[in-house]
Amino acid sequence: LELAVRSLRRSPGLTALMMLTIGFGVAASMTMHSVVRGLSADPMPGKSSQLFMPQIDSWGPGDRFHDEPPDALNYTDAMALMRQHLATRQSAIYAISPSAMPTDSSRNRGPIMLDGYAVYSEFFPMLEVPFQYGHGWSAQDDADGLPVAVISDRLNRQVFGGGNSIGKTIDIDHRDYRIVGVTRDWNPQPRFFDVEGGHYSVDGPEVFLPFQHSVAIHMINAGWDGCRKGTSDPQGDFVGLQRSDCVWIAYMAELSDAAAVRRYRQYLDDYASDQQKAGRFRWAPNNRLRDLPAFLDVEHL
């Protein structure tokens, strides 16, 4: 302490600068610690242990990273899981980036670029998406491939000036969609249902469209896709992407208890075994079924 006092008297400016530098260093460290702690929080408290991400090894040993199967699913496997429907709720998901045209009464005049997802009807209750007006579409709407939409409150204000817009029509990529729901401000961090997309975003998704309808009209995947070594990426060829082994579809399943988890895990292994017998897979089943906290941990999020 005596040495510090002497140093302060001898060179007060340099000592003050050193103290400020140490102070800023401590503040920066604590700020980063707080940010990491905040972003590492459970994005679905109370339900995250019931939300699972199935992973199917459709690539084989030559394309594994640390013996892990791909994070996402290809179209064939995702549709097989949807048809079997062994979960309480489930949804295949892929990112879309269409544009919306404002109405004549809107202050906006140019197209509005959107950040959104193609999902199934069970996506909304499964992830407890909050609604300002209306609700999600029905399972029958899924089956019929109807042009319905759920939009964010932000997009509702941009296009319609706010208020209850249920039943109104919105022009998305030059197609008319009937609005069935307007979400409240919903922007979970990280964006766990988009396994390979933007994990952290300032604004939440602005539009949700039915998955089967989006596929039927060839609405381009706006997210990540990965293909096996030695195979070409179909890129803009949407039909080619559907027929390929490239993975681009996120998938979430709600499983209510440990017995349901065991049944679903066994189903995944049985499915992979059937694909092996059919000659599609030439390797033993190598699947994963992690709940949301475990999946985020593996993804280092």
Side-chain angles (χ1 to χ4, degrees):
L1 180 60
E2 183 182 354
L3 182 62
V5 172
R6 289 177 182 176
S7 176
L8 176 60
R9 287 175 177 172
R10 186 170 57 251
S11 51
L14 179 61
T15 304
L17 180 62
M18 292 171 62
M19 293 171 65
L20 283 172
T21 302
I22 293 173
F24 277 119
V26 172
S29 298
M30 291 306 298
T31 299
M32 290 303 299
H33 178 75
S34 300
V35 169
V36 170
R37 181 181 176 87
L39 295 180
S40 299
D42 187 347
M44 286 289 291
K47 194 173 185 180
S48 59
S49 62
Q50 300 175 36
L51 299 177
F52 289 80
M53 280 74 165
Q55 296 170 252
I56 296 175
D57 189 357
S58 58
W59 286 359
D63 292 89
R64 292 174 187 166
F65 182 70
H66 295 313
D67 202 40
E68 281 286 312
D71 292 340
L73 301 179
N74 59 44
Y75 183 77
T76 299
D77 295 333
M79 293 303 97
L81 267 58
M82 285 300 305
R83 285 193 298 271
Q84 291 294 322
H85 203 295
L86 297 186
T88 304
R89 298 186 182 100
Q90 59 186 24
S91 179
I93 306 159
Y94 80 92
I96 57 175
S97 185
S99 60
M101 291 301 297
T103 61
D104 294 337
S105 60
S106 173
R107 288 176 295 178
N108 298 289
R109 286 294 175 261
I112 304 169
M113 297 304 299
L114 304 178
D115 167 25
Y117 295 89
V119 301
Y120 281 81
S121 59
E122 293 178 357
F123 176 92
F124 304 104
M126 177 171 63
L127 300 190
E128 299 178 350
V129 178
F131 281 88
Q132 185 80 17
Y133 304 106
H135 45 70
W137 56 82
S138 68
Q140 190 60 49
D141 293 337
D142 273 331
D144 295 340
L146 295 182
V148 292
V150 167
I151 64 174
S152 69
D153 180 57
R154 178 167 169 263
L155 180 60
N156 186 42
R157 293 194 304 270
Q158 286 180 290
V159 177
F160 300 106
N164 189 346
S165 60
I166 301 304
K168 293 183 179 179
T169 298
I170 184 171
D171 181 338
I172 299 178
D173 279 358
H174 307 294
R175 294 176 183 269
D176 289 337
Y177 289 83
R178 177 173 56 86
I179 297 173
V180 297
V182 177
T183 65
R184 295 178 187 169
D185 183 23
W186 185 67
N187 189 22
Q189 303 290 327
R191 197 177 288 189
F192 55 89
F193 53 87
D194 186 356
V195 298
E196 289 291 351
H199 294 299
Y200 297 99
S201 176
V202 174
D203 298 313
E206 295 166 305
V207 65
F208 296 95
L209 302 180
F211 189 99
Q212 290 179 311
H213 168 80
S214 301
V215 168
I217 66 171
H218 300 169
M219 184 168 283
I220 298 297
N221 168 42
W224 172 90
D225 68 83
C227 304
R228 286 193 300 175
K229 296 175 184 176
T231 62
S232 60
D233 188 339
Q235 297 181 352
D237 181 3
F238 191 75
V239 175
L241 184 62
Q242 289 176 254
R243 296 172 178 170
S244 72
D245 285 332
C246 299
V247 296
W248 53 285
I249 297 175
Y251 200 98
M252 296 201 70
E254 180 181 342
L255 303 172
S256 56
D257 53 38
V261 174
R262 286 193 298 270
R263 287 193 298 269
Y264 204 91
R265 184 172 284 115
Q266 185 61 54
Y267 160 67
L268 292 177
D269 289 341
D270 292 343
Y271 172 79
S273 296
D274 290 341
Q275 299 304 304
Q276 184 183 18
K277 293 174 184 176
R280 181 166 168 251
F281 296 168
R282 295 185 296 278
W283 47 87
N286 181 46
N287 307 318
R288 301 288 186 276
L289 184 64
R290 297 184 174 101
D291 64 12
L292 178 55
F295 184 80
L296 294 179
D297 185 53
V298 168
E299 295 293 310
H300 303 294
L301 291 175

